[in-house]
């Protein structure tokens, strides 16, 4: 009847069935049959789990007999863990049943938990998840009773400690689902205050470590755990490190006063001793520690703020020595927890850039909680959140917007204004753009009220006491942001913008004048007309002063005022000019020219828009009849215009007008040049004066920026100065100049792609610049051009791949983002680029680790099996014709990083002949072994047999190659020895010939080598053989005196002249030769 789900919805029927099951099992002793039936129902029906748990728990309460529950637990414990791998649905139902039963009978399960613990070693993650939930329920509920003997309490506490250690251990489980479930259990325990102070920091460190887990569900659980730990922390509402350190130092001094003879204990020792005492003497001491924590939260942390301000103030008395010691340990634990959470800030910044929306959303929630508890570094991390408002994911945008409203928008308008001011003052350009976007959205929604804008006007007008010029500038900048969605924000204080923005405060804060100009630009057309009608002459005068820069500080537009004499063609021309003013002049002229180009393009767009509107109006006007059909006459006219090409000719006329207007800016096509045209010619000559530019870096920065703007405007001017631009971007000593030129190259590539196409290699060369900012801008520019199809991915993409391992983390992240986005385009261009990148990187002088990291990242972006299979063949083909061992290693490493399929393994086996010559190297062989191990994991029995045969073939070939190499090496060594012996023999023959040839006119035979060595030997024995003029006398003298000694001496001579080993083998031969030589010489002398 338990199989009928509808019947179980009736509470009376369900209660009756539960009583029947309990009576049969306990009262009538059908225990085995009842257990078998219950297990069968649990395995088969998932809706029965909760009802069966109620039945088993009701039996124990009704009959005070837990034998049924114990019997079921024994049956579950005796089940082979491998059975749960096959029956996943049954494993899930069993796990749910165990958790439900533990919730109802925690003490009974705690006595039988030992039967279930072995299943932690099983392969079914669902059973492990259930056991983790069981341990969590037991820790929370099974050990609350403090009654009983000391020994039993000690056993229970040891059991509880063992369960907590198992939970900590399971945080490193192989399954991401289990790791996630463990972290969720720890969060539940923290909510129920079941985690002791000694265990708190261990859990926090584990959670912080899991933030870098490869699985997003684990990271999500870790973030939620840290949020829960902050919310339920036992250390107080403020977790600033400085506060804890100050209070801890004071209480340590007090502890030293209470025990002057005992050295102060460390925090860890104090906490561990508390834990040991709890384990041995029961839970009473643990409760005492919790009371100490509560007293810390209520009294001491309130005093911390005063302690920071007044160092000499006395600390509150908390009691005797033991209480003070416990409080010091608790403060040290709180300090450790605060440092642990603060140390996660760099990881949280990385998580905000994660591709997983859950990571970003939960990271923002954690940072909000950290800000609430004043964790160090949380404020700076929250600023990193602002650029996420541009995310295309709606959930991320909403999370950022809600966090911004929660943190910065207060009910008090003045507090809100202060928060926004601090954001505007301390933010960089990117953050300001994000801030402008989100403030405009909040103004349109009404979240920023008129009272808040009034508070901002008070700060701008210095109506709030203590307002600085920087704060006034920040307030005006926030108001300009708000005016983007509501132009009426600025209309009420037009006179204040003029008086304050261009008044005396602009000398204190130069950016105030710039912000005032932006405010004027943001005004509506009516407000602008009103402003000019009231203060027209004054505004024009102010703008003229801004251009000339006479009355404002020099740092508004340029650097220090320097003077330089420029030789002119006429002596009457002024030859002295201030470099700073010349820099401003070039900036103003180029800016005016650029805005003229923008105006021409806006006019062209306006004409096109009017044309489209006119065409639509004509169509609507001709739709007279009821069917809405266009009259035949109109259709005929349109067809005639299409045939004659009148529509396209109108567009061509418009394009010609636009081109002509653009050329007239610099007058590239006319003989007479206007002011900007003359300035362009002067600027081109000035930029070629490298000595002058190097002398004044500020002038070079302003001049090259102006040159780039002129080049963007006119194609002829761009073509004439491209060589100059690339020369400067490669050779300039100024990092700012190289960065600006790199950015300008991107704009030029968009506007004149055909002109920049031959310089593609030089653009990629900027990725090797020693400056971090230049490399970063080069990565950004090239990423923009390639991802938007404005530049083709050519053979220099390996330079971008190297940036993946850049020393700067931001550049490395940008390069990785580029390849990640590139892999999403079309059919994944990285697949086609990978072999070329591999070939070029293997020839460059890269560190092996860097090469491996780059190729591993690139290969990881290829997901399709077909592309992987094709890459196997392509990489194998690269072995042919390659003799460099390093390239063999790199190619085999890339092969080992591929995700192999059956077809991929077969292609690898078929290509054996191509790479067999490389298997000699051990490193190459190791990579192929890794490939084989991967293949064995997914291969079917038939393929697995082929892989094993292939492995044997590889090993056999590798051993044969090694033996051949060893044999060839030995043969080479032997050949060298033989060559040495032959050379020595030739040397002996040469001696013989020399004996025959060294004959004087008188018939003397002279052997200089023998004579010299003989003299040496006789000299050592203090006896010399005197030479006579007649050879016969010398010869007879030698023969008569010790002939054996002469032979020995000859052998010694040969040993000294060659190696000992060779001399021993050939000594006799050389002796014979010497004797025969002497005999021949002596026999020849009488004939002569």
């Amino acid at each position: 009847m338990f199989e009928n789900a509808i019947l179980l919805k009736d509470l009376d029927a369900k209660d009756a069935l539960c009583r029947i099951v309990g009576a049969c099992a306990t009262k009538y002793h059908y225990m085995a049959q009842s257990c078998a039936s219950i297990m069968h129902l649990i395995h088969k029906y998932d809706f029965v789990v909760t009802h069966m748990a109620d039945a088993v728990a009701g039996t124990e309460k009704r009959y005070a007999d837990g034998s049924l529950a114990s019997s079921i637990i024994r049956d579950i414990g005796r089940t082979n863990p491998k059975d749960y791998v096959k029956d996943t649905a049954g494993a899930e139902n069993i796990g749910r049943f165990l958790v439900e039963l533990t919730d109802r009978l925690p003490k009974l399960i705690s006595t039988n938990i030992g039967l279930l613990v072995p299943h932690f070693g099983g392969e079914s993650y669902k059973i492990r998840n259930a056991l983790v939930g069981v341990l969590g329920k037991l820790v929370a509920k099974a050990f609350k009773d403090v009654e009983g003997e000391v020994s039993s309490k000690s056993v229970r506490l040891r059991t509880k400690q063992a369960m907590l250690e198992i939970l900590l251990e399971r945080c490193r489980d192989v399954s991401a689902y289990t790791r996630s479930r463990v972290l969720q259990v720890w969060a539940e325990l923290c909510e129920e205050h079941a985690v002791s102070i000694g265990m708190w920091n261990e859990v926090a460190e584990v959670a912080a470590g899991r933030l870098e887990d490869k699985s997003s569900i684990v990271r999500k659980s870790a973030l939620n755990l840290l949020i829960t730990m902050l919310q339920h922390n036992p250390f107080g509402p403020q977790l600033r490190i400085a506060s804890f350190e100050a209070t801890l130092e004071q209480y340590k001094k007090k502890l030293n006063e209470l025990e002057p003879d005992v050295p102060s204990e460390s925090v860890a020792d104090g906490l561990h001793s508390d834990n040991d005492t709890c384990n041995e003497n029961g839970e009473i001491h643990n409760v005492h520690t919790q009371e100490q924590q509560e007293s810390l939260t209520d009294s001491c942390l309130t005093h911390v703020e005063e302690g920071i301000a007044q160092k000499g103030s006395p600390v509150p008395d908390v009691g005797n020595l033991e209480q003070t010691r416990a409080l010091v340990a608790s403060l040290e634990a709180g300090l450790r927890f605060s440092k642990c959470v603060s140390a996660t800030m760099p990881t949280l910044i990385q998580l905000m850039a994660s591709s997983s929306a859950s990571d970003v959303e939960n990271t923002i929630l954690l940072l909000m909680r950290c800000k609430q508890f004043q964790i160090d570094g949380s404020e700076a991390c929250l600023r990193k959140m602002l650029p996420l408002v541009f995310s295309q994911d709606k959930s991320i945008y909403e999370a950022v917007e809600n966090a911004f409203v929660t943190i910065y928008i207060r009910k008090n308008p003045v507090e809100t204004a202060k928060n926004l001011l601090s954001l505007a003052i301390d933010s960089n350009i990117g953050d300001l753009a994000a801030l402008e976007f989100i403030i405009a959205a909040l103004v349109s929604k009404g979240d920023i009220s008129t009272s808040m804008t009034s508070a901002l006007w008070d700060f701008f007008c210095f109506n709030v006491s203590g307002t600085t010029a920087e704060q006034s500038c920040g307030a005006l900048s926030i108001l300009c942001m708000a005016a983007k969605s509501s132009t009426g924000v600025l209309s009420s204080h037009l006179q204040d913008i003029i008086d304050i923005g261009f008044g005396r405060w602009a000398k204190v804060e130069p950016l105030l004048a710039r912000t005032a100009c932006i405010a004027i630009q943001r005004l509506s057309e009516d407000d602008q007309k009103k402003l000019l009608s009231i203060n027209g002459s004054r505004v024009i005068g102010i703008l003229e002063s801004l251009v000339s820069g006479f009355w404002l500080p020099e740092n508004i537009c340029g650097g220090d005022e320097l003077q330089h004499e420029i030789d002119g063609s006429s002596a009457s021309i002024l030859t002295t000019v201030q470099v700073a003013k010349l820099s401003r002049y070039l900036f103003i002229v180029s800016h005016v020219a650029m805005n003229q180009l923008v105006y021409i393009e806006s006019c062209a767009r306006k004409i096109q828009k009017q044309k489209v509107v006119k065409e639509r109006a004509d169509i609507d006007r001709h739709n007279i009849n009821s069917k809405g059909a266009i009259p035949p006459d109109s259709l005929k006219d349109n067809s005639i215009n299409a045939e004659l090409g009148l529509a396209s000719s109108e567009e061509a006329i418009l394009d010609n007008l636009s081109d002509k207007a653009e050329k007239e800016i610099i007058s590239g096509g006319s003989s007479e040049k206007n002011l900007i045209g003359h300035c362009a010619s002067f600027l081109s000559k000035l930029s070629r004066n490298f000595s002058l530019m190097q002398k004044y870096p500020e002038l070079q920065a302003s001049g090259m920026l102006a040159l780039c703007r002129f080049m963007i405007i006119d194609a002829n001017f761009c073509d004439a100065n491209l060589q100059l631009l690339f020369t400067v971007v490669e050779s300039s000593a100024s990092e700012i100049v190289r960065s600006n030129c790199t950015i300008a190259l991107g704009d030029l590539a968009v506007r004149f792609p055909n002109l920049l196409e031959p310089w593609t290699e030089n653009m990629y060369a900027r990725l090797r610049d020693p400056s971090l900012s230049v490399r970063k801008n080069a990565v950004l520019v090239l990423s923009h051009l390639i991802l938007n199809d404005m530049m083709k991915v050519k053979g220099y993409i390996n330079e971008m791949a190297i940036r993946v391992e850049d020393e700067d983390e931001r550049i490395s992240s940008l390069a990785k983002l580029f390849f990640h986005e590139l892999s999403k385009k079309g059919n994944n261009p990285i697949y086609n680029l990978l072999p070329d990148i591999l070939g070029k990187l293997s020839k460059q002088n890269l560190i092996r680790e860097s090469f491996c990291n780059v190729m591993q990242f690139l290969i990881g972006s290829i997901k399709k099996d077909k592309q992987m299979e094709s890459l196997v063949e392509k990489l194998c083909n690269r072995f042919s014709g390659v003799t460099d061992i390093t390239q063999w290693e790199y190619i085999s490493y890339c092969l080992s990083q591929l995700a192999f399929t059956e077809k991929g393994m077969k292609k690898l086996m078929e290509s054996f002949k191509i790479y067999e010559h490389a298997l000699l190297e051990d490193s190459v062989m190791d990579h192929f072994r890794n490939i084989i191990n991967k293949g064995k994991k997914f291969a079917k029995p038939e393929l697995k047999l082929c892989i094993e045969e292939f492995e044997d073939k590889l090993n056999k070939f590798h051993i044969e190659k090694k033996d051949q190499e060893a044999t060839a090496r030995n043969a080479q060594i032997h050949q060298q020895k033989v060559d040495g012996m032959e050379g020595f023999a030739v040397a002996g023959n040469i001696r013989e010939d020399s004996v025959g040839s060294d004959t004087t006119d008188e018939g003397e035979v002279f052997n200089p080598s023998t004579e010299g060595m003989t003299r040496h030997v006789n000299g050592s024995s203090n006896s010399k053989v005197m030479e006579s003029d007649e050879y016969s006398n010398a010869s007879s003298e030698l023969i008569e005196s010790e002939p054996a000694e002469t032979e020995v001496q000859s052998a010694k001579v040969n040993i000294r002249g060659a190696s000992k080993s060779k001399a021993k083998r050939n000594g006799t031969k050389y002796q014979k030769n010497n004797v025969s030589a002497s005999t021949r010489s002596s026999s020849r002398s009488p004939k002569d």
Side-chain angles (χ1 to χ4, degrees), residues 161-180:
Q161 187 67 23
M163 292 178 183
L164 293 173
E165 290 175 358
I166 291 174
L167 287 176
L168 281 177
E169 190 179 313
R170 285 296 106 191
C171 291
R172 294 183 291 272
D173 194 278
V174 68
S175 172
Y177 296 105
T178 304
R179 297 196 299 272
S180 175

Side-chain angles (χ1 to χ4, degrees), residues 105-122:
L105 301 173
K107 291 187 178 180
L108 178 64
I109 301 298
S110 65
T111 58
N112 295 278
I113 190 64
L115 300 171
L116 302 175
V117 169
H119 282 277
F120 273 119

Side-chain angles (χ1 to χ4, degrees), residues 947-960:
I947 293 175
E948 291 175 353
E949 293 177 358
F950 179 63
E951 183 180 14
D952 296 337
K953 183 179 179 180
L954 287 177
N955 291 329
K956 184 178 178 181
F957 192 86
H958 178 66
I959 294 171
E960 289 178 358

